[in-house]
Amino acid sequence: MEKHEEHTAHVHRDDEGDKLGMWLFIFTELLLFGMLFLMYAVYRHKNPEAFLLGGEELDVFIGTFNTVILLISSATVAMSITAIQRGNKKQALVLLGITLFIAVLFLVNKYFEWGAKIEYGFYPGSDLLHELGHGTTLFFGLYYIMSGIHALHILIGIGLFIYVVWQIRRDKIHSTDYVWLENTGLYWHLVDLIWIFLFPLFYLIH
Amino acid sequence: MSEEKHHISSYKSHLFVLLALFVLTGASVAVTSLEMGPFNTLVAMLIAGGKAAIVLIWFMHLKFDNKLYAIFTTFVLVIFLLVLYVTFFDYSYR
Amino acid sequence: MSETTTAKHVSFLEYKGKYKGILGWIFSTDHKRVGLLYLYTMLVFFSIAAILGLLMKIQLIAPGYTIMGPQTYNSMFTVHGIIMIFIIVVPGLPAVFGNFFLPLMIGAKDVAFPRLNLASWWIYIIGILVVLSSQFLGGWPDTGWTFYAPYSFRTPANVLPALFGAFILGFSSILTGINFVVTIHRMRAPGMTWLKMPLFPWTLYATAWIQVLATPVIGITLLLTVMERVLGVGVFDPALGGDPILYQHLFWIYSHPAVYIMILPGMGAISEILPVFSRKSIYGYKAIVLSSLAIAFVGYFVWGHHMFTSGMSGRALYAFSFLTFLVAIPSAIKVFNWVATIHKGSLNLQTPFYWATSFIFVFMIGGLTGLVLGSLATNVHVHDTHFVVAHFHFIVFGGTGYAFMAALHYWFPKMFGRMYDASWANIGWATFFGGFLTLYLPMFALGLQGMPRRYYDYLPEFHTGNIISSLGAILMIAGALIVITNLVRSSRHGEKVTGKNPWGGRTLEWESDTPPTLENWDEIPKVTEGPYDYK
């Protein structure tokens, strides 16, 4: 896709610059989710009881399970970078395979979790929420928005991992050029970071 | 302009970090049933903050990379917390 | 890489790459061509939005129905605002002059991510098309550019394309910001330490950080408004328990820093121009650097001053008013620096200098009236009146717009290799400046007398002020026409500039060829002295 071949002289490689770019993107994401957390804080401040009751509707087991597997996937991504740095292509692919599997598993859990809630009548605009009042409506509104946008990020992460695995297999990512893997890893840890806060705020309200 | 030296973390160190994260997750679930009034949320957020710090420092390599990233990350978190704080000038006193 | 020699001494304007004609532009990753793509796009949309503005002023030339009814008028100020804010002034100087001159000023061959840079422009175009599509998908929105809840999801008018388009435009802004921060960190020429970097890149740096950290806020807010309108989630809808004031908080958490996205690069451009035309080193280089960073930082925490009458707690009112006064300090520091730079300089009275000094003048009026709005007691009186409209046009149009024109006249010979007609440029400036003051100064008075904004009609007692203001609008548009015609004509037929440095500037961009070659430099320059050494 390079437009002017002659232009390539300045298409230099700068891993550190690429990484800085990724971090800046992560900051953008942090602020994006940050504003959702801010909304959560405001509405919980205004409706403490409803949020407590809403939290009790959510399944702590599924929440904990998803937390644990997402942590494992973060570790496997971190380890896959170690593997690539050591030049161990096969281990890196296995570790990324586990990560991909977990990412899909997370979404499957989410599907069943959402499905059950919707079947029960918890969805934006439902009669049940209307009956339960403003606080619960807000709690579930935020629950769907925040975990939904988080799930969207998981989906994007899956796409990125597929690309990275493909590039490793083609030896485009290897022990001296792996910034794509590193940046995808950073992105994935961000997804984990967000979940680390979503979990206690929705599932563990006391 | 490829970088000269990279810190390579061992598998073992990653697994230790993971173990620490598990312990904190367990603690977080466990303390939910304790009766601590308003401190429940505080403790939950402190534990989550600890987990986030661990992920940032070890998994995201802030400890080993250019210190610039650590400084920027702190700065961004401070901005977010200040925005939250200033917003509650409104909601706490309405 | 073998072909580099062929491209060496052909200017970027004439350079022929893989694609011919217009494709060679819209698929070019050359930062200079991308900068010009933004310039041309903005020229088109500025003209459209300016015509909308003119039509509104014509409507207001007499009370009652003159040329449009209330609903048309509402659509007009909404679309005027959306285009001017999201398409013109927010990308504004960074997208045009940042793209073109940042690499030149720091001695780099391009920005850090050239393809991402081109992608930003494409995303920008897509965003614009989505915004404009509302015309064909059920008519213009009528909410004002602020999309306040709950009206934005109650109105029968079609706001979804505008919301979604603004959301997409945000991505373009974020990507440009990321690109510039990395470029400045990683690609400065050898010897260019942070404190040897010219001030325009410094302000771009501060701006880029705001783009990275504030734009996601508007992104998520607009997205939530879309969800609210489509799904009825309840987050901003008071009927479902949501708090519409929280919408305002979120909106202004972005949109106030966005004001600094607009003005900071303008301040940077002015800080470049004044030393060159005063033949003097900039006064207080470090103070300008620090005040830019301070503005970017403190500017985050003052958003509430847009909401003094919206029903916030009393404590929040005091806090935001105090913080607002705080952010005025670094802006004032800059004004002192500029004036001190001109003081006892050997002035070279050229068009960029006129635009730059008139910038200081209108920016001061805009800034000081901002303090009237920032203090609680006076704000309650003038909130949502023409006073506010006049104030932010003095800052956004008078500030950013004048800085843009100053920068355009200053860098024009470098960009196009041709000089504009100086006397027409000066006549255009004078007409524009006169028209501008005639247009907006009466609006301060009208606002103080109590004429509200966003009404197509007014009481007869406001008639005189509105007549003066509307005539000013016509004069100003005439001035803008002279300026733009002169520049467009000169970009093709102006006198050729052969020297590298027509104004005698000391910053790095003047050491490149005129117009610059594809890769800017045969050899990356080495920097040994500060940017404004005139002694």
Side-chain angles (χ1 to χ4, degrees):
Chain A
M1 277 289 280
E2 198 49 54
K3 299 326 176 292
H4 319 282
E5 281 80 2
E6 299 84 346
H7 211 161
T8 47
H10 72 252
V11 179
H12 62 298
R13 187 176 148 203
D14 179 9
D15 290 355
E16 204 59 29
D18 293 354
K19 211 149 88 177
L20 178 59
M22 190 66 210
W23 270 104
L24 291 166
F25 178 71
I26 286 175
F27 298 151
T28 293
E29 293 272 24
L30 284 178
L31 263 290
L32 186 144
F33 278 102
M35 289 308 120
L36 290 171
F37 284 115
L38 184 138
M39 293 178 72
Y40 174 94
V42 166
Y43 287 138
R44 184 163 164 186
H45 174 79
K46 294 180 89 162
N47 311 280
E49 293 85 15
F51 271 57
L52 179 61
L53 293 174
E56 280 169 5
E57 291 295 329
L58 299 181
D59 189 334
V60 178
F61 177 75
I62 295 193
T64 316
F65 184 75
N66 267 350
T67 308
V68 168
I69 60 171
L70 212 53
L71 289 172
I72 296 175
S73 76
S74 252
T76 51
V77 173
M79 284 159 77
S80 78
I81 295 175
T82 307
I84 278 284
Q85 284 171 326
R86 288 175 178 164
N88 198 331
K89 182 175 158 186
K90 209 173 150 197
Q91 274 182 13
L93 285 173
V94 170
L95 286 162
L96 286 175
I98 299 174
T99 314
L100 257 175
F101 173 75
I102 289 178
V104 174
L105 184 65
F106 185 94
L107 287 183
V108 170
N109 284 341
K110 199 91 271 166
Y111 172 79
F112 283 115
E113 197 189 357
W114 276 31
K117 286 278 154 309
I118 290 171
E119 204 172 324
Y120 198 76
F122 289 112
Y123 54 87
S126 76
D127 295 336
L128 180 63
L129 283 185
H130 193 69
E131 240 165 71
L132 288 171
H134 288 166
T136 319
T137 309
L138 284 172
F139 178 83
F140 278 98
L142 285 171
Y143 164 76
Y144 281 114
I145 289 169
M146 292 173 84
S147 62
I149 293 180
H150 180 258
L152 182 70
H153 281 77
I154 299 238
L155 213 57
I156 296 168
I158 291 176
L160 285 172
F161 279 125
I162 290 173
Y163 176 76
V164 165
V165 164
W166 180 54
Q167 293 293 45
I168 292 177
R169 289 179 61 114
R170 292 170 65 214
D171 284 320
K172 292 275 178 191
I173 295 177
H174 49 75
S175 61
T176 53
D177 186 359
Y178 53 87
V179 71
W180 256 99
L181 174 60
E182 253 187 317
N183 281 349
T184 309
L186 284 175
Y187 174 85
W188 194 250
H189 297 311
L190 164 80
V191 173
D192 197 9
L193 273 184
I194 303 299
W195 185 257
I196 284 175
F197 286 94
L198 285 182
F199 171 57
L201 288 177
F202 280 100
Y203 294 83
L204 302 181
I205 304 178
H206 181 82
Chain B
M1 241 194 273
S2 186
E3 288 305 304
E4 324 66 41
K5 272 225 163 140
H6 280 285
H7 176 269
I8 301 186
S9 318
S10 67
Y11 285 165
K12 212 175 170 184
S13 67
H14 284 318
L15 290 174
F16 269 122
V17 172
L18 183 61
L19 193 69
L21 290 169
F22 281 165
V23 171
L24 286 177
T25 307
S28 182
V29 177
V31 296
T32 309
S33 51
L34 294 180
E35 190 60 59
M36 292 186 287
F39 291 103
N40 271 98
T41 312
L42 183 69
V43 171
M45 283 300 95
L46 283 178
I47 294 178
K51 283 165 75 180
I54 290 175
V55 169
L56 281 164
I57 291 168
W58 279 284
F59 281 171
M60 295 174 92
H61 254 224
L62 283 185
K63 185 170 187 266
F64 312 109
D65 269 342
N66 195 333
K67 286 284 162 287
L68 200 63
Y69 303 137
I71 295 167
F72 284 170
T73 310
T74 318
F75 169 72
V76 170
L77 291 177
V78 166
I79 286 207
F80 169 66
L81 290 175
L82 280 175
V83 167
L84 193 67
Y85 178 72
V86 174
T87 309
F88 270 81
F89 268 116
D90 180 8
Y91 288 97
S92 307
Y93 301 101
R94 228 191 246 173
Chain C
M1 258 174 257
S2 52
E3 294 111 305
T4 28
T5 42
T6 58
K8 273 255 160 85
H9 294 290
V10 183
S11 104
F12 81 99
L13 289 168
E14 275 136 38
Y15 174 74
K16 298 245 183 329
K18 198 160 141 194
Y19 298 100
K20 305 276 174 282
I22 191 164
L23 293 182
W25 283 79
I26 61 176
F27 291 127
S28 169
T29 54
D30 179 9
H31 65 100
K32 301 180 285 298
R33 286 195 172 187
V34 174
L36 290 187
L37 285 177
Y38 275 110
L39 179 64
Y40 298 140
T41 323
M42 280 177 201
L43 186 65
V44 171
F45 287 96
F46 175 78
S47 311
I48 295 174
I51 290 168
L52 293 180
L54 183 64
L55 290 176
M56 284 191 282
K57 287 315 302 186
I58 293 175
Q59 159 61 28
L60 289 180
I61 206 162
Y65 186 104
T66 315
I67 56 166
M68 62 179 90
Q71 186 62 26
T72 318
Y73 187 81
N74 291 352
S75 302
M76 290 244 167
F77 69 67
T78 303
V79 178
H80 172 83
I82 292 173
I83 294 181
M84 285 298 195
I85 298 288
F86 289 114
I87 301 179
I88 313 291
V89 285
V90 167
L93 281 105
V96 177
F97 302 109
N99 266 321
F100 201 109
F101 286 104
L102 172 63
L104 285 164
M105 293 179 94
I106 63 171
K109 290 193 168 180
D110 207 321
V111 290
F113 309 115
R115 276 183 287 180
L116 198 64
N117 199 25
L118 177 63
S120 305
W121 181 75
W122 275 104
I123 295 171
Y124 173 69
I125 292 294
I126 294 168
I128 293 175
L129 291 178
V130 173
V131 169
L132 294 184
S133 72
S134 60
Q135 169 67 356
F136 310 103
L137 298 174
W140 295 116
D142 62 350
T143 55
W145 75 281
T146 51
F147 303 114
Y148 267 14
Y151 186 64
S152 56
F153 42 84
R154 297 267 170 77
T155 169
N158 185 22
V159 290
L160 282 179
L163 285 169
F164 202 64
F167 172 75
I168 296 172
L169 287 168
F171 274 99
S172 165
S173 186
I174 291 173
L175 293 180
T176 304
I178 291 178
N179 222 334
F180 284 2
V181 173
V182 178
T183 307
I184 291 170
H185 268 278
R186 303 292 302 171
M187 297 176 75
R188 277 169 292 133
M192 182 174 282
T193 54
W194 282 98
L195 289 180
K196 283 194 179 125
M197 189 162 74
L199 288 163
F200 184 57
W202 258 116
T203 50
L204 285 175
Y205 184 72
T207 308
W209 270 104
I210 309 177
Q211 285 175 304
V212 168
L213 296 183
T215 319
V217 179
I218 192 77
I220 192 66
T221 311
L222 295 176
L223 204 61
L224 288 172
T225 314
V226 171
M227 286 190 207
E228 189 77 338
R229 195 174 164 90
V230 178
L231 299 171
V233 187
V235 279
F236 298 130
D237 191 345
L240 296 169
D243 179 10
I245 296 177
L246 185 61
Y247 174 88
Q248 297 187 19
H249 275 297
L250 291 170
F251 182 83
W252 290 111
I253 289 174
Y254 164 73
S255 297
H256 196 76
V259 174
Y260 298 107
I261 296 181
M262 303 168 197
I263 196 71
L264 270 171
M267 293 170 156
I270 298 302
S271 310
E272 295 295 334
I273 293 166
L274 290 178
V276 174
F277 293 90
S278 310
R279 285 292 179 279
K280 249 181 91 201
S281 182
I282 188 88
Y283 181 85
Y285 169 87
K286 278 185 193 163
I288 295 187
V289 169
L290 286 177
S291 59
S292 300
L293 297 176
I295 287 175
F297 182 73
V298 183
Y300 261 94
F301 310 108
V302 302
W303 75 84
H305 64 221
H306 295 267
M307 305 159 54
F308 282 161
T309 59
S310 70
M312 283 194 302
S313 78
R315 186 99 46 133
L317 297 179
Y318 301 137
F320 281 122
S321 184
F322 171 74
L323 287 164
T324 303
F325 276 86
L326 217 55
V327 82
I329 296 170
S331 307
I333 289 177
K334 281 180 195 290
V335 171
F336 287 125
N337 281 312
W338 293 326
V339 175
T341 304
I342 306 174
H343 180 63
K344 286 189 174 172
S346 109
L347 301 184
N348 178 12
L349 296 177
Q350 302 275 359
T351 322
F353 185 76
Y354 291 138
W355 280 107
T357 38
S358 50
F359 165 91
I360 301 178
F361 179 72
V362 290
F363 180 73
M364 266 171 53
I365 295 179
L368 292 171
T369 51
L371 290 178
V372 175
L373 291 163
S375 44
L376 293 171
T378 42
N379 179 283
V380 173
H381 179 66
V382 291
H383 192 92
D384 264 346
T385 66
H386 265 46
F387 190 90
V388 180
V389 182
H391 155 72
F392 72 72
H393 278 89
F394 261 90
I395 289 288
V396 175
F397 194 18
T400 314
Y402 277 54
F404 193 95
M405 293 319 287
L408 192 55
H409 284 88
Y410 174 56
W411 279 314
F412 188 88
K414 181 59 75 183
M415 295 166 87
F416 296 98
R418 290 174 186 275
M419 190 56 96
Y420 46 83
D421 184 310
S423 40
W424 275 113
N426 291 340
I427 292 168
W429 164 77
T431 319
F432 185 93
F433 190 38
F436 180 91
L437 295 179
T438 324
L439 164 56
Y440 294 115
L441 282 177
M443 288 168 72
F444 284 123
L446 288 169
L448 283 173
Q449 289 166 6
M451 177 169 164
R453 63 192 285 206
R454 293 179 166 163
Y455 282 76
Y456 86 116
D457 195 4
Y458 51 83
L459 298 173
E461 66 214 64
F462 302 131
H463 197 178
T464 319
N466 274 295
I467 291 180
I468 299 172
S469 175
S470 297
L471 293 178
I474 295 166
L475 189 63
M476 187 182 78
I477 294 287
L481 272 177
I482 299 174
V483 171
I484 291 173
T485 314
N486 182 33
L487 289 177
V488 170
R489 206 196 65 85
S490 305
S491 70
R492 295 178 165 274
H493 309 292
E495 196 185 322
K496 277 212 160 166
V497 177
T498 40
K500 286 184 172 178
N501 195 352
W503 307 123
R506 299 303 300 264
T507 37
L508 219 46
E509 81 270 27
W510 298 110
E511 287 173 31
S512 68
D513 286 351
T514 303
T517 55
L518 183 67
E519 298 197 329
N520 302 346
W521 322 96
D522 295 346
E523 221 173 294
I524 296 282
K526 286 200 171 39
V527 180
T528 46
E529 38 182 42
Y532 308 103
D533 285 334
Y534 276 102
K535 284 178 191 151

